Amino acid sequence: AIYRFFRQRSFFHVWLFKPLGLLLILSVCSCVGLLKSENLKHQTSDLAEFIKALSRLSELVRIGNYEIDELVSICFKKSLGFFRNGEFVITATSLSDRQNKLIKEFFDGFGFSDTEGEYSRAELYINILKNEHAEALKQYSALGSLYRSVGFMSGLIICIFLL
């Protein structure tokens, strides 16, 4: 049945499928590069949000008597993380394993010291995360356009090969 379908159609109709398939391949490869680049961009924005939230947290620790659950719910958005059963759960998905480990390490030891100790510990982790943020910005500026270009070029190479 398929053979008769193609045999009955004109040459133009049969070869119309090939450019559409090539266009689909090119667009998929380009989208993969864009998604990888966007992941790096979200990583930098999530780190900036964590730095802001930790700054608010350190100031609230210094100012008043809050419970840990209250502090986390006041300072952190649900899209970054929340406190559940005595443990901080990170919901930001674009962070690297090293960055997740740093944040987890901060909250594992949070609440075991006096206010000045907690404040200085929070400031230390803010500085560490600022260094991570600067590194992520460098990585995004270096690799973001590379991923987009490689995605498009690989799609183009595949299309040329299939022609």
Side-chain angles (χ1 to χ4, degrees):
I2 295 174
Y3 176 72
R4 278 184 282 173
F5 172 76
F6 283 115
R7 213 174 101 202
Q8 293 171 353
R9 301 291 175 209
S10 69
F11 182 76
F12 176 72
H13 288 117
V14 172
W15 283 98
L16 182 65
F17 292 113
K18 191 168 188 175
L20 290 176
L22 293 175
L23 183 65
L24 181 67
I25 290 171
L26 180 65
S27 61
V28 166
C29 290
S30 296
C31 285
V32 168
L34 283 172
L35 288 175
K36 186 67 176 163
S37 174
E38 283 298 310
N39 190 29
L40 289 175
K41 186 176 181 181
H42 286 298
Q43 182 181 17
T44 59
S45 63
D46 284 347
L47 278 172
E49 288 295 319
F50 266 109
I51 290 169
K52 287 179 192 173
L54 278 178
S55 296
R56 285 188 299 241
L57 181 89
S58 69
E59 290 303 319
L60 287 177
V61 162
R62 194 175 198 189
I63 291 173
N65 295 327
Y66 293 99
E67 293 294 321
I68 295 174
D69 295 346
E70 283 181 282
L71 284 172
V72 171
S73 64
I74 290 171
C75 299
F76 288 88
K77 298 177 186 175
K78 290 284 186 192
S79 62
L80 294 177
F82 57 91
F83 212 72
R84 181 181 61 200
N85 298 333
E87 184 177 335
F88 186 74
V89 179
I90 300 170
T91 55
T93 57
S94 63
L95 299 177
S96 70
D97 291 338
R98 181 171 183 240
Q99 294 158 352
N100 280 334
K101 185 180 175 187
L102 278 170
I103 295 166
K104 208 68 163 133
E105 184 180 292
F106 171 76
F107 281 104
D108 286 345
F110 188 67
F112 293 117
S113 182
D114 62 336
T115 56
E116 285 303 313
E118 291 297 335
Y119 177 76
S120 62
R121 188 168 180 273
E123 290 298 316
L124 172 70
Y125 277 90
I126 288 169
N127 289 331
I128 292 172
L129 285 178
K130 281 182 181 178
N131 292 338
E132 288 288 323
H133 182 255
E135 185 179 314
L137 279 174
K138 278 187 216 172
Q139 188 177 17
Y140 174 67
S141 65
L143 296 178
S145 61
L146 177 71
Y147 286 144
R148 290 188 296 270
S149 299
V150 166
F152 178 75
M153 289 299 170
S154 64
L156 197 60
I157 290 171
I158 291 171
C159 289
I160 290 171
F161 178 73
L162 292 177
L163 277 176

